[in-house]
Amino acid sequence: KCARLWDAGTRAEIAKFPLPKDASTHLEPLLSAVAFSPCGRYLAMGVSLFGGNGPRACVYEVASRKLVAPLLRSRHGVVDVAF
């Protein structure tokens, strides 16, 4: 599973970002929150996933598509993210 970033003007897919996974469960993550940093350099994502204790939020650098930081490990889903 991944989050896809699209250019609304051209309708072209720009990038794919993997959703946080939890190896302790077989359930698929559900993307429930996204936010860009004010400078547009970073993308924060939150997921909802029942069970397990895996990452629920993470931050990617948009240009490189690299994971910058897993933010939160929790048994609860993330329903809101912001910079």
Side-chain angles (χ1 to χ4, degrees):
K1 293 272 183 163
C2 65
R4 297 173 185 222
L5 183 60
W6 296 82
D7 182 316
T10 64
R11 299 180 181 170
E13 185 178 295
I14 297 171
K16 293 180 183 178
F17 300 91
L19 296 179
K21 294 181 182 178
D22 182 356
S24 69
T25 180
H26 66 281
L27 300 173
E28 294 288 339
L30 169 68
L31 182 62
S32 55
V34 296
F36 279 98
S37 63
C39 64
R41 184 175 176 188
Y42 301 101
L43 175 67
M45 296 189 301
V47 300
S48 295
L49 179 64
F50 298 107
N53 192 28
R56 297 294 186 259
C58 59
V59 176
Y60 283 94
E61 184 178 36
V62 175
S64 68
R65 277 64 161 182
K66 290 186 180 178
L67 180 65
V68 175
L71 293 179
L72 173 69
R73 296 183 72 80
S74 170
R75 295 188 65 76
H76 306 285
V78 174
V79 296
D80 195 13
V81 292
F83 281 90

